[in-house]
Amino acid sequence: TVVSKVGSRVWIDSALVMTVMLRVVVAYIALASGYSSGGPSSRCSGPPGAPGHGSQQGGTGGYSISLMDGQTAVTQYTPGQSYTVQISGDTFKGFMVNANGGSLAAASGQMLSGVCLTHSSPVDKTIQNFAWKAPASGNVTFGVTIVQSYFVYYRGIGLSVVADPTAVVDVDESAGSTTEPAADSTTTEADVAANSTTTESDTTTAASAISGTSCAVIGVILCAALSAM
């Protein structure tokens, strides 16, 4: 009993009161720190796990994750391009998200923990955006754990995206077969024309030189004959 009455006096069990107050303080600290500093790396070695507090609820709780190209949600990516990944839904406190391909980048109020991106601020959220750079190829799966409160969380929220095959084919074809062969062909024809012109010019010059030399020799012979007479 916390309060007891002896005669006309009321007695309070101070030790019991202190114990109750201590438990309240501990519970408050746990509640405040349960989602303030983000998910620990031990729970982010792969697909996001449980946050370590609260109980998992069924379904997605109305939360979703989308890959955004500008203002448009997409399910295909161009290799090497940067995108915005968006988590949205009812008010929540924290999250853990990872992707099995590409690279994630933390924004303000976020941090990397293990292979996950997680929150670093306990403020209420309804939308979280972060950057993702697409890999060179392959299917990519995003996994999300949403911490709605210290007592409630949701897992199994995901998104799968694939490389755009059209974008890959266009890059390969334009890089391999359009420009370089035409340049080689043009260069070869120009070189042949230039070589042909040079050869004809050289032949004409040589012929002229030979003709001039012959005339000079004939002139010397005539002069010698006239002198002899």
Side-chain angles (χ1 to χ4, degrees):
T1 304
V2 177
V3 179
S4 59
K5 184 175 182 181
V6 179
S8 61
R9 296 186 177 184
V10 177
W11 298 88
I12 299 177
D13 189 339
S14 59
L16 185 56
V17 171
M18 290 297 296
T19 301
V20 172
M21 292 180 62
L22 181 60
R23 288 180 179 178
V24 171
V25 171
V26 170
Y28 178 80
I29 292 174
L31 181 63
S33 63
Y35 43 73
S36 62
S37 58
S41 59
S42 61
R43 299 183 181 276
C44 286
S45 58
H53 54 79
S55 60
Q56 181 176 345
Q57 306 299 300
T60 64
Y63 299 103
S64 64
I65 178 171
S66 305
L67 182 67
M68 307 298 294
D69 185 4
Q71 299 298 317
T72 305
V74 297
T75 57
Q76 293 184 331
Y77 66 84
T78 299
Q81 182 172 321
S82 293
Y83 294 87
T84 297
V85 179
Q86 185 178 91
I87 300 172
S88 60
D90 293 336
T91 302
F92 59 99
K93 292 292 187 180
F95 67 92
M96 295 183 289
V97 59
N98 87 319
N100 63 355
S103 58
L104 301 171
S108 176
Q110 304 168 356
M111 67 179 187
L112 293 172
S113 178
V115 297
C116 290
L117 185 73
T118 186
H119 61 283
S120 62
S121 169
V123 298
D124 288 346
K125 312 164 181 62
T126 55
I127 293 178
Q128 282 288 281
N129 294 322
F130 49 90
W132 176 72
K133 185 173 183 180
S137 62
N139 298 346
V140 178
T141 299
F142 295 86
V144 184
T145 294
I146 295 290
V147 180
Q148 189 178 69
S149 69
Y150 181 82
F151 304 103
V152 175
Y153 68 89
Y154 294 87
R155 290 182 63 193
I157 305 166
L159 171 70
S160 294
V161 296
V162 298
D164 183 352
T166 304
V168 174
V169 170
D170 288 346
V171 171
D172 291 342
E173 288 181 349
S174 63
S177 61
T178 303
T179 305
E180 293 183 1
D184 292 341
S185 176
T186 302
T187 301
T188 301
E189 292 176 0
D191 290 343
V192 170
N195 290 340
S196 175
T197 302
T198 302
T199 301
E200 292 176 359
S201 177
D202 292 345
T203 301
T204 302
T205 302
S208 298
I210 292 172
S211 177
T213 301
S214 299
C215 291
V217 171
I218 293 172
V220 170
I221 294 174
L222 289 176
C223 288
L226 293 173
S227 299
M229 294 176 61

